[in-house]
Amino acid sequence: MRVGLTYDLRDDYRALGGFSETALAEFDSPETIDALAGALAANGCTVERIGHIRSLTQRLVAGERWDLVFNICEGIAGRNREAQVPALLEAYGIPYVFSDPLTLSVTLDKAVAKRLVREAGLPTAPFAVIESDADARNCTLPFPVFVKPLAEGTGKGCERASKANDRKALVAAARSLRARFNQPAIAETFLPGREFTVGIVGNGAAARIVAVMEILLLQNAEPEVYSFENKELCESRVEYRLADDAEARAAGDIALAAYRTLGCRDGGRLDLRSDANAVPQFLEVNPLAGLHPTHSDLPILAGLAGMDYQSLIGEILQAAKLRTGVAAQARRRRRIPA
C-alpha cells in the first residue's frame, strides 16, 4: 500500500526564518519522521515523504495520489490550522489517518472542546475565555485559577505564572499570553489533584484505552504544572508511571467517553487532572498526538504498557484502514487479473 506522510518539520520552518523556538515546538524532528516512516514500512507500507501543506499542494496539482496519507501536520496559523491538510485531502478524495477537519478545529479551541464535553455530562473544570483585561477583571472563577493560551498544544504558554492566586496575577498572566500568542487565553479553576494522560486507539465502539499514565513532577521541575519547560526536559524532570487504581480507571473512562464525544479517530491522547475530591476532570485532547518514539507521551505510555512503537503505529494504521475501507480496496485490486 502506497502511503504518503505529511508533517511539519522544524528544520524546514527554521530555514525560512521568522519563527521562534516556541513557535516551532509543535513541529517534528527528523528523528520522529524517520521513526514513523520506518514503522509504517515495517507494517507493510511503501512510504513517500511529502512534508508540509505547500509540498502536498504542489504534488496534488502535479497529479500525485496515494492510497492513504498518514497526516501529522500541525499547521502554522489560526485555530483551524490542524484542519487544513485533512480538508485539502478530502477535497481530492484521498483517505487519511487521524481526525477530520471538524474535530481538529473543535479540539484545538479548548473552550469549544470543553463545552461539548460538558454538554455530554463529562466532568471538566469551570472556565472562562479571557479576551481582554476587562474579561480578566470580571472573571468570577474562584482563585486560584490556571491560565493558558486558548488554542495551543505541547504545553505552550503553560508555566509557573499560569497559576494565578489573585486578580492581579490573572490580569497579568492573561495579558502576557494574549500578547505572546496572539489569541485569547482560557482560565480554569485550578485542579490540585493527580495528573493523568490517557492513550487511545481505534474508532467508535471499537476504540480502546492503551493505558492511563500518571505524570509525576520531580523536585527539580517547575512545581504544580506539567509546563512547556517540564515537557521539554521531561527526561530529567518528570516520572511517568502507569496507573490502574480506581481514580486512574475513572480518568480512563472519562477520556474514552470524551474521545468518542469529540469524534476523534484512529488514535489520540487526552489529558485529565483531578480536583480536590479526587474526581478526574477533562482538560484537553490531542487528536494529533506527538509521535517521537521516546519523547512523546503517547509512545511513552504505550511502551510502559508493553506496546512497542511499531505496534502502536500499526494499530493506528489498521484503525484507519478499516475506517476508510482502504484495506478492502487493496484486497480487491489484488484479485483483479492483469
Side-chain angles (χ1 to χ4, degrees):
M1 183 172 67
R2 190 165 174 245
V3 173
L5 181 55
T6 50
Y7 51 87
D8 288 312
L9 195 65
R10 291 181 187 179
D11 291 348
D12 289 343
Y13 291 98
R14 192 178 282 120
L16 293 174
F19 293 90
S20 68
E21 288 305 306
T22 299
L24 296 172
E26 285 186 282
F27 298 161
D28 289 297
S29 66
E31 293 80 12
T32 299
I33 306 309
D34 289 345
L36 183 52
L40 289 169
N43 277 281
C45 301
T46 300
V47 182
E48 295 189 15
R49 303 189 190 200
I50 300 169
H52 53 59
I53 189 169
R54 293 184 182 182
S55 296
L56 172 64
T57 302
Q58 291 168 357
R59 294 178 72 162
L60 288 171
V61 170
E64 293 190 60
R65 300 294 185 267
W66 303 270
D67 296 316
L68 184 72
V69 170
F70 198 107
N71 170 55
I72 58 170
C73 280
E74 300 282 353
I76 60 172
R79 66 176 182 171
N80 299 300
R81 60 187 181 271
E82 292 181 351
Q84 292 167 353
V85 164
L88 183 58
L89 291 168
E90 287 189 359
Y92 278 83
I94 298 174
Y96 55 89
V97 178
F98 293 127
S99 294
D100 71 358
L102 177 60
T103 292
L104 292 172
S105 293
V106 161
T107 54
L108 189 58
D109 187 314
K110 295 175 175 60
V112 174
K114 283 167 67 69
R115 290 187 188 107
L116 291 171
V117 166
R118 184 176 62 190
E119 178 68 19
L122 301 171
T124 188
F127 67 97
V129 176
I130 309 295
E131 298 190 54
S132 64
D133 285 356
D135 288 341
R137 287 192 292 267
N138 295 327
C139 181
T140 60
L141 295 174
F143 291 97
V145 298
F146 191 83
V147 196
K148 57 189 176 184
L150 182 66
E152 293 293 343
T154 318
K156 290 197 289 187
C158 294
E159 54 204 13
R160 188 187 301 269
S162 291
K163 184 183 178 184
N165 292 306
D166 55 37
R167 184 80 52 195
K168 181 179 179 181
L170 169 58
V171 172
R175 181 187 297 155
S176 174
L177 291 172
R178 295 197 313 274
R180 283 184 283 153
F181 293 97
N182 193 32
Q183 62 185 265
I186 182 172
E188 300 171 289
T189 299
F190 181 76
L191 300 167
R194 297 163 67 189
E195 185 151 1
F196 304 101
T197 192
V198 181
I200 295 175
V201 294
N203 294 296
R208 70 175 186 88
I209 297 167
V210 176
V212 178
M213 184 170 75
E214 186 169 3
I215 296 162
L216 301 166
L217 301 179
L218 303 178
Q219 287 187 340
N220 61 331
E222 281 191 311
E224 299 186 288
V225 53
Y226 191 33
S227 65
F228 173 75
E229 188 172 321
N230 286 338
K231 285 187 176 185
E232 288 296 293
L233 301 173
C234 64
E235 290 84 0
S236 61
R237 292 191 174 190
V238 180
E239 178 186 350
Y240 297 111
R241 180 187 301 168
L242 292 187
D244 192 32
D245 57 284
E247 188 176 344
R249 290 193 294 274
D253 291 342
I254 293 164
L256 186 56
Y259 179 93
R260 290 169 173 156
T261 293
L262 294 167
C264 299
R265 303 193 315 200
D266 303 335
R269 202 197 75 246
L270 294 92
D271 299 330
L272 302 94
R273 188 159 175 155
S274 294
D275 63 15
N277 297 313
V279 177
Q281 308 284 314
F282 169 86
L283 292 177
E284 58 189 79
V285 56
N286 190 340
L288 293 177
L291 291 175
H292 188 286
T294 62
H295 190 74
S296 295
D297 288 354
L298 181 57
I300 289 172
L301 71 83
L304 291 174
M307 179 188 291
D308 63 26
Y309 188 76
Q310 181 179 318
S311 298
L312 172 64
I313 300 305
E315 282 214 31
I316 293 169
L317 179 67
Q318 182 63 17
K321 288 164 65 176
L322 291 173
R323 172 178 57 79
T324 61
V326 168
Q329 292 170 18
R331 286 195 296 271
R332 285 196 294 271
R333 284 196 298 269
R334 284 197 295 271
R335 289 197 296 267
I336 297 174

